[in-house]
Amino acid sequence: MPLIRIDALRAAPDRLAGLGRAVHDALVETIGIPPDDLFQVLTSHDGTTSTLRYGGFPGIERDDDVVFIVITLRAGRPDEVKQAMYRRIAELVHDYTGTDPRNVLITLTENASPDWSFANGEAQYL
């Protein structure tokens, strides 16, 4: 059910795969998604024709290993679960790709069951 978008600068295919696996494994562990619930868009930007821009807000010094992770999923999880999810994503991204956790930016957008159609023009959660 989560839709994941991961953007990284000059990421080789193995790094992109590791980033996707890290996020998926963290979601299985922390929020209990089924292992086959895998919907990801993985994009490497070359830094010239497409790029990522980042600053030091809020007092964090990032570098070109920065990774933007956008998660869209159904609402309803407590803040503690979200915190555990963010922490586990950063840990596994580091373990799988060597990316420093300070370079892992995660944003979460929540929606409701009627907001999903997985195929055939149907809202399967309704």
Side-chain angles (χ1 to χ4, degrees):
M1 153 246 351
L3 174 62
I4 310 300
R5 180 177 177 108
I6 300 174
D7 293 270
L9 280 173
R10 294 177 284 283
D14 60 330
R15 182 168 183 233
L16 280 178
L19 292 168
R21 189 167 42 97
V23 172
H24 184 70
D25 289 353
L27 294 177
V28 170
E29 286 180 31
T30 60
I31 66 170
I33 67 166
D36 67 341
D37 190 351
L38 180 63
F39 301 96
Q40 298 182 337
V41 179
L42 310 174
T43 305
S44 177
H45 300 269
D46 65 12
T48 304
T49 59
S50 67
T51 194
L52 301 179
R53 292 186 176 177
Y54 57 90
F57 182 85
I60 299 169
E61 295 204 23
R62 297 173 185 86
D63 59 38
D64 279 356
D65 274 348
V66 69
V67 177
F68 295 169
I69 300 169
V70 179
I71 302 170
T72 303
L73 66 126
R74 290 188 295 165
R77 288 160 187 88
D79 291 346
E80 310 81 58
V81 171
K82 294 175 191 176
Q83 286 286 2
M85 178 188 69
Y86 300 144
R87 189 170 31 259
R88 191 62 177 145
I89 289 171
E91 290 169 354
L92 291 180
V93 163
H94 181 260
D95 290 350
Y96 294 1
T97 70
T99 302
D100 193 303
R102 70 185 165 83
N103 280 318
V104 180
L105 183 145
I106 305 165
T107 183
L108 175 65
T109 302
E110 296 179 303
N111 58 21
S113 294
D115 299 322
W116 292 88
S117 173
F118 292 97
N120 302 318
E122 300 171 17
Q124 282 79 4
Y125 286 137
L126 289 181

Short mmCIF file of all heavy atoms in Angstrom, two decimals, residues 17-53:
data_model
loop_
_atom_site.label_atom_id
_atom_site.label_comp_id
_atom_site.label_asym_id
_atom_site.label_seq_id
_atom_site.Cartn_x
_atom_site.Cartn_y
_atom_site.Cartn_z
N ALA A 17 19.05 0.19 -5.89
CA ALA A 17 18.43 -1.05 -5.42
C ALA A 17 18.55 -1.18 -3.90
O ALA A 17 17.60 -1.57 -3.21
CB ALA A 17 19.06 -2.26 -6.11
N GLY A 18 19.72 -0.83 -3.35
CA GLY A 18 19.92 -0.89 -1.91
C GLY A 18 19.04 0.08 -1.16
O GLY A 18 18.50 -0.23 -0.09
N LEU A 19 18.86 1.29 -1.72
CA LEU A 19 17.97 2.27 -1.10
C LEU A 19 16.54 1.75 -1.08
O LEU A 19 15.85 1.83 -0.05
CB LEU A 19 18.04 3.60 -1.86
CG LEU A 19 19.36 4.36 -1.76
CD1 LEU A 19 19.40 5.50 -2.78
CD2 LEU A 19 19.59 4.87 -0.35
N GLY A 20 16.09 1.21 -2.20
CA GLY A 20 14.73 0.67 -2.26
C GLY A 20 14.53 -0.49 -1.30
O GLY A 20 13.51 -0.58 -0.60
N ARG A 21 15.51 -1.37 -1.23
CA ARG A 21 15.42 -2.52 -0.32
C ARG A 21 15.40 -2.06 1.13
O ARG A 21 14.65 -2.58 1.97
CB ARG A 21 16.59 -3.46 -0.58
CG ARG A 21 16.49 -4.79 0.14
CD ARG A 21 17.50 -5.81 -0.39
NE ARG A 21 18.82 -5.27 -0.64
CZ ARG A 21 19.84 -5.35 0.22
NH1 ARG A 21 19.70 -5.95 1.39
NH2 ARG A 21 21.01 -4.85 -0.10
N ALA A 22 16.23 -1.06 1.47
CA ALA A 22 16.29 -0.55 2.84
C ALA A 22 14.94 0.02 3.26
O ALA A 22 14.44 -0.28 4.35
CB ALA A 22 17.38 0.52 2.95
N VAL A 23 14.34 0.82 2.41
CA VAL A 23 13.04 1.42 2.75
C VAL A 23 11.99 0.32 2.88
O VAL A 23 11.21 0.30 3.85
CB VAL A 23 12.63 2.49 1.72
CG1 VAL A 23 11.20 2.95 1.96
CG2 VAL A 23 13.60 3.66 1.76
N HIS A 24 11.96 -0.59 1.94
CA HIS A 24 10.95 -1.67 1.99
C HIS A 24 11.12 -2.52 3.25
O HIS A 24 10.13 -2.78 3.96
CB HIS A 24 11.04 -2.54 0.74
CG HIS A 24 9.99 -3.59 0.68
ND1 HIS A 24 8.66 -3.29 0.47
CD2 HIS A 24 10.06 -4.93 0.85
CE1 HIS A 24 7.96 -4.42 0.49
NE2 HIS A 24 8.79 -5.42 0.73
N ASP A 25 12.34 -2.93 3.54
CA ASP A 25 12.57 -3.75 4.73
C ASP A 25 12.16 -3.01 6.01
O ASP A 25 11.57 -3.60 6.92
CB ASP A 25 14.04 -4.17 4.82
CG ASP A 25 14.42 -5.20 3.77
OD1 ASP A 25 13.53 -5.70 3.03
OD2 ASP A 25 15.63 -5.50 3.67
N ALA A 26 12.46 -1.72 6.07
CA ALA A 26 12.08 -0.93 7.25
C ALA A 26 10.56 -0.84 7.40
O ALA A 26 10.04 -0.93 8.51
CB ALA A 26 12.68 0.48 7.16
N LEU A 27 9.84 -0.71 6.29
CA LEU A 27 8.38 -0.63 6.36
C LEU A 27 7.77 -1.97 6.77
O LEU A 27 6.79 -2.01 7.52
CB LEU A 27 7.80 -0.16 5.03
CG LEU A 27 8.16 1.27 4.61
CD1 LEU A 27 7.58 1.59 3.24
CD2 LEU A 27 7.70 2.27 5.63
N VAL A 28 8.34 -3.06 6.28
CA VAL A 28 7.86 -4.39 6.69
C VAL A 28 8.06 -4.54 8.20
O VAL A 28 7.16 -4.98 8.92
CB VAL A 28 8.60 -5.50 5.91
CG1 VAL A 28 8.30 -6.87 6.50
CG2 VAL A 28 8.20 -5.47 4.43
N GLU A 29 9.22 -4.15 8.70
CA GLU A 29 9.54 -4.29 10.12
C GLU A 29 8.73 -3.38 11.02
O GLU A 29 8.26 -3.81 12.08
CB GLU A 29 11.02 -3.98 10.37
CG GLU A 29 11.99 -5.01 9.91
CD GLU A 29 13.43 -4.59 10.20
OE1 GLU A 29 13.67 -3.87 11.20
OE2 GLU A 29 14.31 -4.98 9.42
N THR A 30 8.59 -2.12 10.64
CA THR A 30 8.04 -1.13 11.58
C THR A 30 6.54 -0.89 11.46
O THR A 30 5.90 -0.62 12.47
CB THR A 30 8.76 0.23 11.44
OG1 THR A 30 8.59 0.72 10.11
CG2 THR A 30 10.24 0.09 11.79
N ILE A 31 6.01 -0.96 10.25
CA ILE A 31 4.56 -0.71 10.13
C ILE A 31 3.79 -1.94 9.66
O ILE A 31 2.59 -1.89 9.50
CB ILE A 31 4.24 0.53 9.25
CG1 ILE A 31 4.63 0.31 7.79
CG2 ILE A 31 4.88 1.78 9.82
CD1 ILE A 31 4.11 1.39 6.87
N GLY A 32 4.52 -3.03 9.42
CA GLY A 32 3.85 -4.29 9.15
C GLY A 32 3.24 -4.45 7.78
O GLY A 32 2.28 -5.20 7.61
N ILE A 33 3.81 -3.78 6.76
CA ILE A 33 3.27 -4.02 5.42
C ILE A 33 3.64 -5.43 4.98
O ILE A 33 4.65 -5.98 5.41
CB ILE A 33 3.77 -2.97 4.39
CG1 ILE A 33 5.27 -3.10 4.12
CG2 ILE A 33 3.39 -1.56 4.80
CD1 ILE A 33 5.75 -2.34 2.90
N PRO A 34 2.83 -6.04 4.12
CA PRO A 34 3.17 -7.38 3.62
C PRO A 34 4.44 -7.31 2.76
O PRO A 34 4.68 -6.33 2.06
CB PRO A 34 1.97 -7.75 2.76
CG PRO A 34 0.86 -6.85 3.19
CD PRO A 34 1.52 -5.59 3.66
N PRO A 35 5.25 -8.36 2.77
CA PRO A 35 6.50 -8.36 1.99
C PRO A 35 6.30 -8.14 0.49
O PRO A 35 7.18 -7.60 -0.18
CB PRO A 35 7.09 -9.74 2.26
CG PRO A 35 6.54 -10.12 3.60
CD PRO A 35 5.15 -9.53 3.63
N ASP A 36 5.14 -8.52 -0.05
CA ASP A 36 4.92 -8.33 -1.49
C ASP A 36 4.27 -6.99 -1.82
O ASP A 36 3.95 -6.71 -2.97
CB ASP A 36 4.10 -9.48 -2.07
CG ASP A 36 2.67 -9.51 -1.55
OD1 ASP A 36 2.39 -8.90 -0.50
OD2 ASP A 36 1.82 -10.15 -2.21
N ASP A 37 4.11 -6.13 -0.83
CA ASP A 37 3.52 -4.80 -1.02
C ASP A 37 4.64 -3.84 -1.42
O ASP A 37 5.18 -3.10 -0.61
CB ASP A 37 2.85 -4.34 0.28
CG ASP A 37 2.02 -3.09 0.10
OD1 ASP A 37 2.08 -2.47 -0.98
OD2 ASP A 37 1.32 -2.72 1.05
N LEU A 38 5.02 -3.90 -2.69
CA LEU A 38 6.19 -3.18 -3.17
C LEU A 38 5.82 -2.30 -4.36
O LEU A 38 5.57 -2.80 -5.46
CB LEU A 38 7.29 -4.18 -3.58
CG LEU A 38 8.59 -3.60 -4.11
CD1 LEU A 38 9.29 -2.77 -3.05
CD2 LEU A 38 9.50 -4.72 -4.59
N PHE A 39 5.77 -0.99 -4.12
CA PHE A 39 5.50 0.00 -5.16
C PHE A 39 6.49 1.13 -4.97
O PHE A 39 6.38 1.92 -4.03
CB PHE A 39 4.05 0.52 -5.07
CG PHE A 39 3.03 -0.57 -5.21
CD1 PHE A 39 2.48 -1.16 -4.09
CD2 PHE A 39 2.65 -1.03 -6.47
CE1 PHE A 39 1.54 -2.18 -4.21
CE2 PHE A 39 1.72 -2.04 -6.60
CZ PHE A 39 1.17 -2.62 -5.47
N GLN A 40 7.51 1.19 -5.84
CA GLN A 40 8.58 2.17 -5.70
C GLN A 40 8.94 2.80 -7.03
O GLN A 40 8.92 2.13 -8.06
CB GLN A 40 9.84 1.51 -5.11
CG GLN A 40 9.67 0.94 -3.74
CD GLN A 40 10.96 0.35 -3.20
OE1 GLN A 40 11.87 -0.02 -3.94
NE2 GLN A 40 11.05 0.26 -1.88
N VAL A 41 9.31 4.07 -6.97
CA VAL A 41 9.90 4.78 -8.10
C VAL A 41 11.29 5.20 -7.64
O VAL A 41 11.43 5.97 -6.69
CB VAL A 41 9.06 6.03 -8.48
CG1 VAL A 41 9.72 6.76 -9.64
CG2 VAL A 41 7.62 5.66 -8.79
N LEU A 42 12.31 4.65 -8.28
CA LEU A 42 13.70 4.91 -7.90
C LEU A 42 14.36 5.72 -9.01
O LEU A 42 14.42 5.28 -10.16
CB LEU A 42 14.46 3.60 -7.70
CG LEU A 42 13.78 2.56 -6.80
CD1 LEU A 42 14.56 1.25 -6.82
CD2 LEU A 42 13.65 3.09 -5.40
N THR A 43 14.88 6.90 -8.66
CA THR A 43 15.42 7.80 -9.68
C THR A 43 16.80 8.28 -9.28
O THR A 43 16.99 8.77 -8.16
CB THR A 43 14.50 9.02 -9.88
OG1 THR A 43 13.18 8.57 -10.18
CG2 THR A 43 14.99 9.90 -11.01
N SER A 44 17.73 8.16 -10.20
CA SER A 44 19.05 8.74 -10.04
C SER A 44 19.14 9.99 -10.89
O SER A 44 18.79 9.96 -12.08
CB SER A 44 20.13 7.74 -10.48
OG SER A 44 21.41 8.32 -10.38
N HIS A 45 19.56 11.08 -10.30
CA HIS A 45 19.70 12.35 -11.01
C HIS A 45 21.18 12.57 -11.33
O HIS A 45 22.04 12.36 -10.48
CB HIS A 45 19.15 13.49 -10.15
CG HIS A 45 17.71 13.32 -9.83
ND1 HIS A 45 16.70 13.83 -10.61
CD2 HIS A 45 17.09 12.66 -8.80
CE1 HIS A 45 15.52 13.50 -10.08
NE2 HIS A 45 15.74 12.79 -8.99
N ASP A 46 21.47 13.01 -12.55
CA ASP A 46 22.86 13.13 -12.98
C ASP A 46 23.56 14.38 -12.47
O ASP A 46 24.76 14.53 -12.62
CB ASP A 46 22.97 13.04 -14.50
CG ASP A 46 22.30 14.19 -15.24
OD1 ASP A 46 21.93 15.21 -14.60
OD2 ASP A 46 22.15 14.07 -16.47
N GLY A 47 22.81 15.30 -11.86
CA GLY A 47 23.40 16.52 -11.33
C GLY A 47 23.50 17.64 -12.34
O GLY A 47 23.86 18.77 -11.99
N THR A 48 23.18 17.34 -13.60
CA THR A 48 23.25 18.37 -14.65
C THR A 48 21.88 18.61 -15.26
O THR A 48 21.31 19.68 -15.11
CB THR A 48 24.25 17.95 -15.75
OG1 THR A 48 25.52 17.69 -15.13
CG2 THR A 48 24.41 19.03 -16.79
N THR A 49 21.36 17.61 -15.96
CA THR A 49 20.04 17.78 -16.58
C THR A 49 18.91 17.54 -15.58
O THR A 49 17.79 17.98 -15.80
CB THR A 49 19.86 16.85 -17.80
OG1 THR A 49 20.03 15.49 -17.37
CG2 THR A 49 20.86 17.18 -18.89
N SER A 50 19.20 16.81 -14.52
CA SER A 50 18.27 16.68 -13.40
C SER A 50 19.10 16.60 -12.13
O SER A 50 20.19 16.02 -12.12
CB SER A 50 17.38 15.44 -13.55
OG SER A 50 18.14 14.26 -13.45
N THR A 51 18.60 17.21 -11.09
CA THR A 51 19.41 17.29 -9.87
C THR A 51 18.53 17.37 -8.65
O THR A 51 17.29 17.44 -8.75
CB THR A 51 20.38 18.49 -9.94
OG1 THR A 51 21.35 18.35 -8.91
CG2 THR A 51 19.65 19.81 -9.83
N LEU A 52 19.14 17.34 -7.50
CA LEU A 52 18.47 17.57 -6.22
C LEU A 52 19.10 18.81 -5.60
O LEU A 52 20.31 18.98 -5.66
CB LEU A 52 18.66 16.38 -5.28
CG LEU A 52 18.16 15.03 -5.76
CD1 LEU A 52 18.45 13.96 -4.70
CD2 LEU A 52 16.68 15.07 -6.06
N ARG A 53 18.28 19.64 -5.02
CA ARG A 53 18.79 20.81 -4.31
C ARG A 53 18.50 20.61 -2.83
O ARG A 53 17.45 20.12 -2.46
CB ARG A 53 18.14 22.08 -4.82
CG ARG A 53 18.55 22.40 -6.23
CD ARG A 53 18.03 23.72 -6.65
NE ARG A 53 18.52 24.03 -7.98
CZ ARG A 53 18.18 25.09 -8.65
NH1 ARG A 53 17.34 25.96 -8.12
NH2 ARG A 53 18.67 25.31 -9.84
#
